[in-house]
Amino acid sequence: MFRFLVCRGIKGGAPQKALSSLGSINPARSVSSLPFATVDAEEISGSQPAEVQNLVQGKWTTSSTWNTLLDPLNGESFIKVAEVDEAGIQPYVESLSNCPKHGLHNPFKAPERYLHLGDVSAKAAHLLSLPKVSNYFARLIQRVSPKSYQQAHGEVQVTQKFLENFSGDQVRFLARSFAVPGNHLGQQSHGFRWPYGPVAIVTPFNFPLEIPVLQLMGALYMGNKPLLKVDSKVSIVMEQALRMLHFCGLPVEDVDFINSDGKIMNKILLEVDYVAWVCDQDAYACSGQKCSGQSILFMHENWSATDLISKLKDLAQRRKLEDLTIGPVLTFTTEAMLEHMNKLLEIPGSKLLFGGKELENHSIPSIYGALKPTAVYVPLEEILKDKNFELVTKEIFGPFQIITDYKNDQLPIVLEALERMHAHLTAAVVSNDPLFLQEVIGHSVNGTTYAGLRARTTGAPQNHWFGPAGDPRGAGIGTPEAIKLVWSCHREIIYDYGPIPKHWEIPPST
């Protein structure tokens, strides 16, 4: 998610009532006639230096370290940027870490945010259409990235048109889904656009408004929480643009804005727990070694009160080596799997439900695994403990699963466990309760997810997308969408044949 002699300008103004029609705001540092601005583009100078702040967890902050910028036209010290050093990164790490992987919104969670962001875009587009506001940003761009007024104003216009394009309902149309008929009555496959959650945007200096606004809003539209870093030499433009977006209704907690050098930004990104996806391991024919094999089962107390476990045990014990319904494990030895099981059984309250022994009468080499289908029960409260979580969620690529149970009021704990996991390929939500399905799907991030009483985790046919809900390079397979997203990228070709207007002459330089 990483991208890579000045004229005075047109003096023009919109009626003040056009601005005030959007509401009123009084920033603590406001020095401009514009209601959102905290600097005056025309007055920034060595004698009146501007200050650029940082934004984290909904609050504008300064820093003990200030980077002084020189006016690129005359060398005066005209802007002071509050730069975050290593000692100050923790609030940014915490802010990104607090954003769940399923984002600030998604098609099942807080869908009203799509509409709200459409309204924010409409208001911001209207503001930028006002000569007084567009001139303000054009002049601010000129002060830090000297270019002709026409070029600077053109950048503002592109940004304004982008925001106009994504006003109203257009944001929710970005999350348009699709459905494909299934194999039998009651089955459908749905594809949804899902956010990544916490993301970072790093932008260059040459388009200090257009590039960061377009990338930032795109990330927000889809439900992500961005940390934005603009080149410090021009970050004053985006600082003022963020204040404008807040004035237009963007929640102040939605975006973090940081000024720092590259090393500090890199350290923040390394500190944050970003989504890491395990790509498909293509071992479908190996017993217990499907990449979509069930690794952990969360049973509601209603299910645990039935004979589900005993039935699972009976079915598991039917498997035999003779027909290869159970067979060799190619990536874990028997010893390694039994050692893992014994570590799990040391957790208070855990117990072996079935299996836990080596296959009998086999000739499988010792470099492979030969284990009976095994299930270990671990109490939910113990799973969530830091000292146990990594052990319980360790991927055992074989006939091995964890089983736990939960009560009605413990669903948030189950969702927390799902959030903390690193591998989010397939999932099954086994219920016919539409409200329960909506709650779980809206607060999880698994890729191929089956929902309903017939839900499963394995056996995705060719007509289903099969892959993680994240970076498409995580190798989704099966459908046209998967092929397009994984194995191609967007290329834009603009044909422009003309004709050249009659009597065309070379225009003035811009």
Side-chain angles (χ1 to χ4, degrees):
M1 201 57 63
F2 304 96
R3 304 285 196 246
F4 311 105
L5 183 69
V6 182
C7 67
R8 290 290 293 177
I10 300 172
K11 289 189 176 180
Q16 186 60 37
K17 63 180 181 181
L19 289 174
S20 61
S21 66
L22 294 179
S24 60
I25 192 170
N26 295 302
R29 296 194 299 128
S30 181
V31 296
S32 168
S33 60
L34 299 178
F36 59 82
T38 60
V39 300
D40 189 328
E42 303 291 350
E43 300 298 330
I44 302 173
S45 64
S47 60
Q48 298 184 56
E51 292 185 359
V52 181
Q53 297 185 347
N54 301 288
L55 176 65
V56 63
Q57 299 182 23
K59 296 180 180 179
W60 289 103
T61 65
T62 58
S63 171
S64 59
T65 303
W66 292 87
N67 178 23
T68 301
L69 304 180
L70 303 182
D71 188 321
L73 291 179
N74 60 28
E76 287 186 349
S77 300
F78 78 139
I79 297 177
K80 298 194 300 180
V81 181
E83 294 216 338
V84 176
D85 56 20
E86 186 169 343
I89 69 174
Q90 193 56 36
Y92 297 90
V93 174
E94 292 174 357
S95 184
L96 285 182
S97 299
N98 288 338
C99 176
K101 295 170 188 171
H102 52 266
L104 299 176
H105 63 267
N106 58 53
F108 288 79
K109 172 190 175 184
E112 63 276 4
R113 280 178 52 87
Y114 293 112
L115 300 179
H116 180 70
L117 289 171
D119 290 339
V120 171
S121 296
K123 292 174 182 177
H126 171 67
L127 269 183
L128 288 180
S129 72
L130 303 177
K132 188 171 186 177
V133 179
S134 62
N135 177 67
Y136 172 77
F137 278 106
R139 291 292 292 126
L140 197 57
I141 291 169
Q142 284 187 295
R143 295 307 311 276
V144 293
S145 181
K147 58 181 77 172
S148 72
Y149 185 85
Q150 289 83 355
Q151 288 288 323
H153 194 261
E155 184 178 341
V156 179
Q157 288 179 315
V158 168
T159 305
Q160 188 269 333
K161 285 297 182 184
F162 170 86
L163 292 167
E164 198 173 72
N165 287 343
F166 290 97
S167 298
D169 285 333
Q170 296 307 310
V171 174
R172 67 166 147 200
F173 288 158
L174 289 171
R176 187 191 301 271
S177 61
F178 64 87
V180 177
N183 291 345
H184 52 260
L185 187 63
Q187 185 191 71
Q188 287 183 333
S189 175
H190 291 259
F192 295 96
R193 302 306 305 174
W194 220 254
Y196 296 101
V199 299
I201 302 171
V202 181
T203 63
F205 71 91
N206 52 341
F207 288 87
L209 181 71
E210 179 183 339
I211 293 178
V213 168
L214 268 60
Q215 294 290 12
L216 175 69
M217 297 308 293
L220 286 169
Y221 293 154
M222 300 312 296
N224 301 289
K225 165 140 188 197
L227 169 60
L228 176 63
K229 179 195 172 337
V230 179
D231 190 311
S232 293
K233 294 188 293 293
V234 297
S235 61
I236 192 171
V237 178
M238 200 57 209
E239 186 219 36
Q240 296 300 298
L242 277 171
R243 294 179 186 275
M244 181 190 71
L245 290 169
H246 293 159
F247 175 68
C248 294
L250 180 70
V252 290
E253 301 86 3
D254 277 16
V255 180
D256 291 334
F257 177 70
I258 188 171
N259 295 286
S260 70
D261 62 24
K263 291 181 179 179
I264 295 300
M265 184 64 181
N266 185 60
K267 185 170 179 60
I268 293 174
L269 299 180
L270 292 177
E271 288 281 346
V272 175
D273 181 19
Y274 277 94
V275 178
W277 297 103
V278 178
C279 298
D280 48 349
Q281 298 293 323
D282 278 352
Y284 292 100
C286 300
S287 176
Q289 296 165 92
K290 292 188 176 182
C291 59
S292 58
Q294 180 172 293
S295 299
I296 186 166
L297 172 62
F298 295 91
M299 293 190 305
H300 186 269
E301 57 183 340
N302 291 346
W303 284 104
S304 56
T306 69
D307 57 354
L308 176 62
I309 295 298
S310 64
K311 287 186 176 181
L312 280 174
K313 180 179 180 180
D314 291 342
L315 291 170
Q317 290 177 342
R318 294 195 311 170
R319 298 184 174 276
K320 51 186 182 292
L321 186 59
E322 288 79 4
D323 62 5
L324 290 180
T325 52
I326 191 68
V329 176
L330 303 185
T331 54
F332 279 88
T333 65
T334 305
E335 181 182 9
M337 288 187 286
L338 290 175
E339 181 182 359
H340 178 69
M341 179 190 73
N342 290 330
K343 289 181 180 178
L344 289 170
L345 293 175
E346 293 175 3
I347 297 175
S350 64
K351 58 185 176 182
L352 178 66
L353 295 177
F354 52 82
K357 295 182 179 179
E358 185 174 353
L359 291 175
E360 300 166 350
N361 303 318
H362 72 84
S363 57
I364 297 172
S366 60
I367 59 171
Y368 301 132
L371 188 70
K372 291 183 177 181
T374 299
V376 175
Y377 173 85
V378 182
L380 181 60
E381 297 85 352
E382 293 292 332
I383 291 177
L384 269 294
K385 292 181 178 178
D386 290 340
K387 63 180 180 180
N388 297 331
F389 192 80
E390 185 175 351
L391 174 65
V392 173
T393 58
K394 180 180 179 181
E395 179 68 26
I396 300 298
F397 214 40
F400 194 103
Q401 69 170 317
I402 303 296
I403 295 180
T404 190
D405 51 14
Y406 68 98
K407 301 181 185 299
N408 276 335
D409 60 358
Q410 291 181 306
L411 180 58
I413 303 177
V414 175
L415 296 174
E416 179 186 347
L418 298 180
E419 174 72 19
R420 287 175 58 183
M421 292 178 187
H422 295 287
H424 300 284
L425 185 52
T426 61
V429 189
V430 185
S431 173
N432 273 348
D433 181 350
L435 295 180
F436 176 81
L437 294 176
Q438 182 168 300
E439 177 75 8
V440 175
I441 295 172
H443 289 83
S444 58
V445 73
N446 294 75
T448 304
T449 300
Y450 293 86
L453 202 59
R454 296 181 59 169
R456 63 189 190 276
T457 66
T458 63
Q462 77 291 335
N463 60 308
H464 294 185
W465 163 285
F466 185 80
D471 190 329
R473 290 169 295 181
I477 59 173
T479 62
E481 288 76 20
I483 294 169
K484 287 185 287 187
L485 288 173
V486 175
W487 294 111
S488 68
C489 64
H490 180 84
R491 181 187 181 191
E492 193 88 0
I493 298 176
I494 295 92
Y495 291 99
D496 194 353
Y497 292 113
I500 298 174
K502 291 182 178 180
H503 312 301
W504 181 86
E505 296 180 358
I506 297 175
S509 298
T510 66

Short mmCIF file of all heavy atoms in Angstrom, two decimals, residues 358-388:
data_model
loop_
_atom_site.label_atom_id
_atom_site.label_comp_id
_atom_site.label_asym_id
_atom_site.label_seq_id
_atom_site.Cartn_x
_atom_site.Cartn_y
_atom_site.Cartn_z
N GLU A 358 0.03 -42.94 17.25
CA GLU A 358 0.57 -43.26 15.93
C GLU A 358 -0.30 -44.31 15.25
O GLU A 358 -0.93 -45.15 15.90
CB GLU A 358 2.01 -43.78 16.08
CG GLU A 358 2.71 -44.03 14.75
CD GLU A 358 4.17 -44.41 14.93
OE1 GLU A 358 4.65 -44.34 16.08
OE2 GLU A 358 4.81 -44.74 13.93
N LEU A 359 -0.38 -44.25 13.94
CA LEU A 359 -1.10 -45.27 13.18
C LEU A 359 -0.50 -46.65 13.45
O LEU A 359 0.71 -46.79 13.66
CB LEU A 359 -1.05 -44.97 11.68
CG LEU A 359 -1.82 -43.74 11.18
CD1 LEU A 359 -1.56 -43.54 9.69
CD2 LEU A 359 -3.31 -43.89 11.44
N GLU A 360 -1.33 -47.65 13.42
CA GLU A 360 -0.87 -49.01 13.67
C GLU A 360 -0.60 -49.74 12.36
O GLU A 360 -1.22 -49.47 11.34
CB GLU A 360 -1.93 -49.76 14.49
CG GLU A 360 -2.21 -49.11 15.83
CD GLU A 360 -3.48 -49.64 16.47
OE1 GLU A 360 -4.23 -50.37 15.77
OE2 GLU A 360 -3.75 -49.30 17.64
N ASN A 361 0.35 -50.71 12.43
CA ASN A 361 0.64 -51.61 11.30
C ASN A 361 0.89 -50.84 10.00
O ASN A 361 0.24 -51.07 8.97
CB ASN A 361 -0.53 -52.60 11.09
CG ASN A 361 -0.82 -53.40 12.34
OD1 ASN A 361 0.11 -53.85 13.02
ND2 ASN A 361 -2.10 -53.57 12.64
N HIS A 362 1.81 -49.89 10.04
CA HIS A 362 2.12 -49.11 8.85
C HIS A 362 3.60 -49.22 8.50
O HIS A 362 4.42 -49.67 9.33
CB HIS A 362 1.76 -47.64 9.05
CG HIS A 362 2.67 -46.91 9.99
ND1 HIS A 362 3.86 -46.35 9.60
CD2 HIS A 362 2.57 -46.66 11.33
CE1 HIS A 362 4.45 -45.77 10.63
NE2 HIS A 362 3.68 -45.95 11.70
N SER A 363 3.95 -48.82 7.32
CA SER A 363 5.35 -48.81 6.87
C SER A 363 5.76 -47.42 6.41
O SER A 363 6.65 -47.26 5.58
CB SER A 363 5.54 -49.82 5.74
OG SER A 363 4.65 -49.55 4.66
N ILE A 364 5.08 -46.41 6.92
CA ILE A 364 5.39 -45.02 6.56
C ILE A 364 6.76 -44.66 7.12
O ILE A 364 7.04 -44.87 8.30
CB ILE A 364 4.31 -44.07 7.13
CG1 ILE A 364 2.94 -44.39 6.50
CG2 ILE A 364 4.68 -42.61 6.87
CD1 ILE A 364 1.79 -43.63 7.13
N PRO A 365 7.68 -44.12 6.29
CA PRO A 365 9.03 -43.77 6.77
C PRO A 365 8.97 -42.77 7.92
O PRO A 365 8.04 -41.93 8.00
CB PRO A 365 9.69 -43.16 5.54
CG PRO A 365 8.92 -43.66 4.37
CD PRO A 365 7.52 -43.85 4.85
N SER A 366 9.95 -42.81 8.77
CA SER A 366 9.96 -41.96 9.97
C SER A 366 10.12 -40.48 9.65
O SER A 366 9.85 -39.63 10.49
CB SER A 366 11.07 -42.41 10.92
OG SER A 366 12.34 -42.33 10.28
N ILE A 367 10.57 -40.17 8.44
CA ILE A 367 10.72 -38.75 8.08
C ILE A 367 9.35 -38.12 7.82
O ILE A 367 9.25 -36.90 7.70
CB ILE A 367 11.62 -38.56 6.84
CG1 ILE A 367 11.03 -39.32 5.63
CG2 ILE A 367 13.04 -39.01 7.14
CD1 ILE A 367 11.76 -39.00 4.33
N TYR A 368 8.31 -38.95 7.70
CA TYR A 368 6.95 -38.46 7.53
C TYR A 368 6.15 -38.71 8.80
O TYR A 368 6.61 -39.37 9.73
CB TYR A 368 6.28 -39.13 6.33
CG TYR A 368 7.00 -38.91 5.03
CD1 TYR A 368 7.28 -39.98 4.17
CD2 TYR A 368 7.41 -37.63 4.65
CE1 TYR A 368 7.95 -39.78 2.98
CE2 TYR A 368 8.09 -37.43 3.45
CZ TYR A 368 8.36 -38.51 2.63
OH TYR A 368 9.02 -38.29 1.45
N GLY A 369 4.93 -38.21 8.80
CA GLY A 369 4.08 -38.40 9.96
C GLY A 369 3.06 -39.49 9.75
O GLY A 369 2.59 -39.70 8.62
N ALA A 370 2.72 -40.20 10.81
CA ALA A 370 1.70 -41.25 10.76
C ALA A 370 0.88 -41.15 12.04
O ALA A 370 1.15 -41.83 13.03
CB ALA A 370 2.34 -42.62 10.63
N LEU A 371 -0.12 -40.29 12.02
CA LEU A 371 -0.90 -40.00 13.21
C LEU A 371 -2.37 -40.28 12.98
O LEU A 371 -2.92 -39.96 11.91
CB LEU A 371 -0.72 -38.52 13.61
CG LEU A 371 -1.31 -38.08 14.94
CD1 LEU A 371 -0.51 -38.67 16.10
CD2 LEU A 371 -1.34 -36.55 15.05
N LYS A 372 -3.02 -40.86 13.97
CA LYS A 372 -4.46 -41.03 13.89
C LYS A 372 -5.13 -39.65 13.96
O LYS A 372 -4.59 -38.72 14.57
CB LYS A 372 -4.95 -41.89 15.06
CG LYS A 372 -4.52 -43.35 14.97
CD LYS A 372 -5.12 -44.16 16.13
CE LYS A 372 -4.75 -45.63 16.01
NZ LYS A 372 -5.34 -46.44 17.11
N PRO A 373 -6.30 -39.48 13.33
CA PRO A 373 -7.00 -38.20 13.44
C PRO A 373 -7.14 -37.79 14.90
O PRO A 373 -7.61 -38.56 15.74
CB PRO A 373 -8.37 -38.50 12.81
CG PRO A 373 -8.08 -39.60 11.85
CD PRO A 373 -7.03 -40.45 12.51
N THR A 374 -6.70 -36.56 15.19
CA THR A 374 -6.54 -36.12 16.57
C THR A 374 -7.24 -34.80 16.82
O THR A 374 -7.21 -33.89 15.99
CB THR A 374 -5.03 -35.98 16.90
OG1 THR A 374 -4.40 -37.24 16.74
CG2 THR A 374 -4.82 -35.47 18.32
N ALA A 375 -7.89 -34.71 17.98
CA ALA A 375 -8.51 -33.46 18.41
C ALA A 375 -8.17 -33.21 19.87
O ALA A 375 -8.28 -34.12 20.70
CB ALA A 375 -10.02 -33.50 18.22
N VAL A 376 -7.76 -31.99 20.18
CA VAL A 376 -7.43 -31.58 21.54
C VAL A 376 -8.34 -30.44 21.95
O VAL A 376 -8.46 -29.44 21.22
CB VAL A 376 -5.95 -31.15 21.66
CG1 VAL A 376 -5.65 -30.62 23.05
CG2 VAL A 376 -5.03 -32.32 21.32
N TYR A 377 -8.99 -30.58 23.09
CA TYR A 377 -9.82 -29.50 23.63
C TYR A 377 -8.97 -28.56 24.47
O TYR A 377 -8.17 -28.99 25.31
CB TYR A 377 -10.94 -30.07 24.50
CG TYR A 377 -11.75 -29.00 25.22
CD1 TYR A 377 -12.81 -28.37 24.59
CD2 TYR A 377 -11.42 -28.62 26.52
CE1 TYR A 377 -13.55 -27.38 25.23
CE2 TYR A 377 -12.15 -27.63 27.16
CZ TYR A 377 -13.21 -27.01 26.51
OH TYR A 377 -13.92 -26.03 27.15
N VAL A 378 -9.12 -27.25 24.22
CA VAL A 378 -8.45 -26.21 25.02
C VAL A 378 -9.50 -25.18 25.40
O VAL A 378 -10.23 -24.68 24.53
CB VAL A 378 -7.31 -25.53 24.24
CG1 VAL A 378 -6.61 -24.50 25.12
CG2 VAL A 378 -6.30 -26.56 23.73
N PRO A 379 -9.62 -24.82 26.68
CA PRO A 379 -10.62 -23.80 27.09
C PRO A 379 -10.38 -22.48 26.39
O PRO A 379 -9.23 -22.06 26.19
CB PRO A 379 -10.40 -23.68 28.61
CG PRO A 379 -9.76 -24.97 29.01
CD PRO A 379 -8.91 -25.37 27.85
N LEU A 380 -11.46 -21.81 26.02
CA LEU A 380 -11.36 -20.56 25.27
C LEU A 380 -10.54 -19.51 26.02
O LEU A 380 -9.71 -18.80 25.43
CB LEU A 380 -12.76 -20.03 24.98
CG LEU A 380 -12.86 -18.72 24.19
CD1 LEU A 380 -12.20 -18.87 22.82
CD2 LEU A 380 -14.31 -18.28 24.05
N GLU A 381 -10.77 -19.39 27.33
CA GLU A 381 -10.04 -18.39 28.11
C GLU A 381 -8.54 -18.65 28.07
O GLU A 381 -7.73 -17.70 28.06
CB GLU A 381 -10.52 -18.38 29.56
CG GLU A 381 -11.98 -17.98 29.74
CD GLU A 381 -12.92 -19.16 29.56
OE1 GLU A 381 -12.45 -20.25 29.15
OE2 GLU A 381 -14.12 -19.00 29.84
N GLU A 382 -8.14 -19.90 28.02
CA GLU A 382 -6.72 -20.24 27.97
C GLU A 382 -6.13 -19.95 26.60
O GLU A 382 -4.97 -19.54 26.48
CB GLU A 382 -6.51 -21.72 28.33
CG GLU A 382 -6.83 -22.07 29.77
CD GLU A 382 -5.84 -21.44 30.75
OE1 GLU A 382 -4.67 -21.21 30.35
OE2 GLU A 382 -6.23 -21.17 31.89
N ILE A 383 -6.94 -20.14 25.55
CA ILE A 383 -6.45 -19.87 24.20
C ILE A 383 -6.03 -18.41 24.07
O ILE A 383 -5.00 -18.09 23.46
CB ILE A 383 -7.54 -20.21 23.16
CG1 ILE A 383 -7.76 -21.72 23.10
CG2 ILE A 383 -7.15 -19.68 21.77
CD1 ILE A 383 -8.87 -22.14 22.16
N LEU A 384 -6.82 -17.51 24.66
CA LEU A 384 -6.57 -16.07 24.50
C LEU A 384 -5.38 -15.56 25.30
O LEU A 384 -4.93 -14.44 25.09
CB LEU A 384 -7.82 -15.28 24.88
CG LEU A 384 -8.83 -14.97 23.76
CD1 LEU A 384 -8.22 -14.02 22.75
CD2 LEU A 384 -9.32 -16.23 23.08
N LYS A 385 -4.85 -16.35 26.22
CA LYS A 385 -3.71 -15.90 27.00
C LYS A 385 -2.47 -15.83 26.11
O LYS A 385 -2.22 -16.71 25.30
CB LYS A 385 -3.47 -16.84 28.18
CG LYS A 385 -4.57 -16.78 29.25
CD LYS A 385 -4.28 -17.72 30.41
CE LYS A 385 -5.36 -17.61 31.49
NZ LYS A 385 -5.13 -18.54 32.62
N ASP A 386 -1.71 -14.76 26.29
CA ASP A 386 -0.55 -14.53 25.43
C ASP A 386 0.41 -15.71 25.41
O ASP A 386 0.96 -16.06 24.37
CB ASP A 386 0.19 -13.27 25.88
CG ASP A 386 -0.60 -12.00 25.59
OD1 ASP A 386 -1.50 -12.05 24.73
OD2 ASP A 386 -0.32 -10.98 26.24
N LYS A 387 0.60 -16.36 26.55
CA LYS A 387 1.57 -17.44 26.63
C LYS A 387 1.10 -18.69 25.88
O LYS A 387 1.91 -19.58 25.58
CB LYS A 387 1.86 -17.80 28.10
CG LYS A 387 0.64 -18.31 28.86
CD LYS A 387 0.99 -18.64 30.30
CE LYS A 387 -0.23 -19.16 31.08
NZ LYS A 387 0.12 -19.48 32.48
N ASN A 388 -0.21 -18.76 25.59
CA ASN A 388 -0.76 -19.95 24.93
C ASN A 388 -1.15 -19.72 23.47
O ASN A 388 -1.21 -20.68 22.70
CB ASN A 388 -2.01 -20.45 25.68
CG ASN A 388 -1.72 -20.90 27.09
OD1 ASN A 388 -0.62 -21.36 27.40
ND2 ASN A 388 -2.70 -20.76 27.97
#
